[in-house]
């Protein structure tokens, strides 16, 4: 009897301890990415980036320009790979790889982003953590040097998921992010591009939905990663589409459209004609095809990019990675700047047949 009473006492004590622990966790508190960082030296990890899809063909790129793109893609993905190799988080790898692409005028994100009808930059970005399903997005910012960092701050240090325009920029100030004058983002090349398209528009030769955009280079940047703890993350950063008007927002800052990550399935970043990616809820659709239909990452990405998007009229590309490090890099345009770093092997490609 004494033993039974003792056992009963121990049981009650352990249940009450568990309850105390539970009640000390604030249910409104978001888990942060930092919670995910512990080192598992031999676990698989990997990273994939894109620098936009579109009419990227050998004839349009001189050998020296090809080399410059190659070097920048290599620098960006190597940064992320080093972070992962040293046990860093997928979110950190995504953020830092994208920072390098945002700082380069070669791509349509950060410096060198495409310009609006008013010849101004209006930048969009988003990031998602596949472990916690936390996410952050920003749209229409023109003073934050690295929009992906602002999306990260929204995810980690705000109660919200999606901020826009002036409010997003005010929040950036509170997070002490690097701010710049909008002119920092404007390059001669993008000024010429938007003026050329506006000219055609004046001559009634073109509109936003026109052959000048359809089939041209898009150039958004994105990154997906798997870290040694089995956590996935995805991020995308863009200037949107040339000559956009009326505060147009594309798919890139929208969670589920241009960016999605879930440890149960995959991490996805897209690039292409945003209106169609929003309507197709592309990034989430790929995850859902894996979750509910049991498709592999390759099958899911191919179904969306070669069947569902063309049926709607959309074009572009997708990069994705799953929790085992299987990847997909698919596009229905002539080319896509892309790179993967898996098992210490770096692979960089631009064109269709490589
Ligand atoms: N998806 C982007 C947008 O529509 C453009 C791109 O990928 O280059 O804003």
């Amino acid at each position: 009897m004494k033993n039974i009473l003792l056992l009963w006492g121990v049981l009650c004590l352990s249940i009450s301890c568990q309850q105390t622990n539970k009640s000390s966790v604030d249910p409104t508190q978001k888990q942060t990415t930092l919670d995910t960082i512990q080192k598992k030296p031999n676990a698989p990890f990997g990273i994939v980036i894109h620098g936009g899809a579109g009419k990227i063909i050998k004839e349009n790129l001189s050998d020296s320009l090809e080399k410059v793109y190659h070097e920048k893609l290599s620098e960006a993905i190597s940064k992320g790979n080093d972070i992962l190799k040293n046990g860093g988080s997928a979110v950190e790898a995504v953020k830092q790889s994208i920072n390098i692409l945002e700082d380069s005028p070669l791509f349509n994100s950060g410096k060198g982003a495409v310009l609006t009808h008013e010849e101004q930059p209006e930048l969009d970005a988003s990031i998602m953590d596949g472990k916690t399903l936390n996410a952050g997005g920003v749209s229409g910012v023109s003073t934050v040097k690295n929009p992906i960092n602002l999306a990260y701050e929204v995810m980690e240090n705000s109660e919200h998921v999606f901020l826009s325009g002036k409010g997003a920029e005010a929040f950036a100030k509170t997070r002490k992010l690097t701010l710049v004058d909008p002119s920092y983002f404007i390059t001669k090349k993008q000024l010429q591009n938007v003026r050329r398209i506006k000219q055609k528009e004046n001559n009634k030769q073109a509109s936003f939905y026109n052959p000048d955009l359809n089939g041209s280079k898009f150039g958004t940047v994105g990154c997906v990663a798997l870290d040694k703890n089995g956590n996935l993350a995805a991020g995308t950063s863009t200037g949107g589409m040339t000559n956009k008007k009326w505060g147009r927002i594309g798919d890139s800052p929208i969670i589920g459209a241009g960016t999605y990550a879930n440890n149960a399935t995959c991490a996805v970043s897209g690039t292409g004609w945003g209106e169609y990616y929003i309507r197709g809820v592309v990034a989430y659709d790929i995850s859902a095809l894996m979750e509910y239909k049991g498709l592999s990452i390759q099958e899911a990405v191919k179904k969306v990019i070669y069947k569902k998007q063309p049926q709607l009229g959309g074009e572009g590309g997708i990069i994705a990675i799953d929790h085992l490090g299987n990847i997909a890099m698919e596009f229905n345009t002539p080319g896509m700047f892309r790179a993967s770093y898996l098992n210490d092997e770096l692979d960089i490609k631009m064109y269709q047949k490589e």
Side-chain angles (χ1 to χ4, degrees):
M1 187 62 185
K2 227 181 180 179
N3 281 352
I4 292 178
L5 276 177
L6 193 68
L7 197 64
W8 178 247
V10 171
L11 252 171
C12 287
L13 194 70
S14 100
I15 288 170
S16 95
C17 277
Q18 277 179 21
Q19 280 176 346
T20 319
N21 280 343
K22 262 192 209 152
S23 61
S24 67
V25 175
D26 176 358
T28 61
Q29 194 79 41
K30 285 199 269 185
Q31 244 182 316
T32 73
T33 308
L34 296 178
D35 298 340
T36 69
I37 304 172
Q38 323 142 7
K39 291 188 181 163
K40 290 190 186 163
N42 299 320
F45 63 95
I47 181 163
V48 186
I49 60 174
H50 70 72
K55 199 170 178 190
I56 301 161
I57 51 174
K58 180 82 191 119
E59 297 82 79
N60 287 355
L61 246 69
S62 64
D63 286 351
S64 58
L65 193 57
E66 190 180 279
K67 188 165 169 275
V68 174
Y69 272 104
H70 205 278
E71 281 169 4
K72 197 45 81 178
L73 291 167
S74 169
E75 182 191 340
I77 200 164
S78 300
K79 177 80 190 176
N81 187 61
D82 287 348
I83 291 169
L84 298 171
K85 206 170 176 176
N86 292 324
S89 75
V91 167
E92 195 56 29
V94 163
K95 189 163 71 103
Q96 294 210 30
S97 291
I98 289 182
N99 280 171
I100 291 174
L101 300 171
E102 285 178 331
D103 291 345
S104 162
L106 292 172
F107 304 96
N108 171 17
S109 71
K111 192 174 184 65
V114 302
L115 302 174
T116 65
H117 188 72
E118 289 73 32
E119 304 181 358
Q120 291 301 310
E122 274 180 15
L123 311 176
D124 302 335
S126 65
I127 192 162
M128 185 160 185
D129 178 346
K131 181 190 175 191
T132 57
L133 302 187
N134 284 344
V138 292
S139 71
V141 295
S142 53
T143 59
V144 180
K145 181 169 172 272
N146 293 101
I148 197 74
N149 294 2
L150 181 54
Y152 173 84
E153 291 297 331
V154 172
M155 172 170 82
E156 293 288 312
N157 294 305
S158 86
E159 296 168 301
H160 308 298
V161 171
F162 200 176
L163 300 182
S164 71
K166 294 280 168 261
E169 291 178 341
F171 176 65
K173 273 189 200 152
T174 72
R175 299 307 307 164
K176 306 213 170 358
L177 293 183
T178 307
L179 302 178
V180 291
D181 188 84
S183 60
Y184 160 82
F185 298 107
I186 302 176
T187 59
K188 210 167 139 197
K189 183 178 127 199
Q190 295 301 357
L191 256 183
Q192 281 168 353
N193 278 344
V194 72
R195 286 179 182 165
R196 181 174 50 88
I197 289 182
K198 275 165 49 171
Q199 187 62 43
K200 290 201 172 191
E201 199 177 39
N202 289 342
N203 298 340
K204 304 247 177 310
Q205 285 178 304
S207 66
F208 185 67
Y209 302 97
N210 68 40
D212 227 38
L213 289 170
N214 193 358
S216 71
K217 182 174 120 14
F218 293 109
T220 292
V221 308
C223 179
V224 295
L226 165 70
D227 67 30
K228 287 184 175 179
N229 285 313
N231 293 320
L232 294 169
T236 312
S237 182
T238 189
M241 289 173 81
T242 308
N243 197 28
K244 64 184 184 181
K245 294 174 193 155
W246 305 306
R248 178 262 186 194
I249 300 168
D251 59 308
S252 309
I254 300 178
I255 296 301
T259 303
Y260 193 72
N262 182 344
N263 277 6
T265 53
C266 61
V268 181
S269 169
T271 174
W273 198 332
E275 277 67 11
Y276 293 95
Y277 276 55
I278 296 172
R279 290 166 58 199
V281 201
V282 161
Y284 180 73
D285 195 24
I286 289 166
S287 169
L289 285 167
M290 293 177 72
E291 186 171 358
Y292 301 125
K293 253 193 154 182
L295 297 196
S296 71
I297 194 162
Q298 275 284 335
E299 290 167 337
V301 170
K302 283 184 173 165
K303 190 175 177 72
V304 168
I305 218 70
Y306 300 122
K307 282 205 174 138
K308 298 180 82 171
Q309 272 297 299
Q311 268 166 16
L312 267 184
E315 59 171 6
I318 286 288
I319 55 167
I321 189 166
D322 72 10
H323 69 286
L324 297 172
N326 298 309
I327 66 162
M329 301 191 282
E330 301 292 335
F331 48 98
N332 58 28
T333 49
M336 178 167 81
F337 292 113
R338 59 201 187 277
S340 63
Y341 217 137
L342 299 165
N343 307 317
D344 270 328
E345 226 178 273
L346 173 61
D347 189 22
I348 300 179
K349 288 181 178 154
M350 297 172 196
Y351 313 115
Q352 212 162 48
K353 290 190 181 73
E354 272 188 88

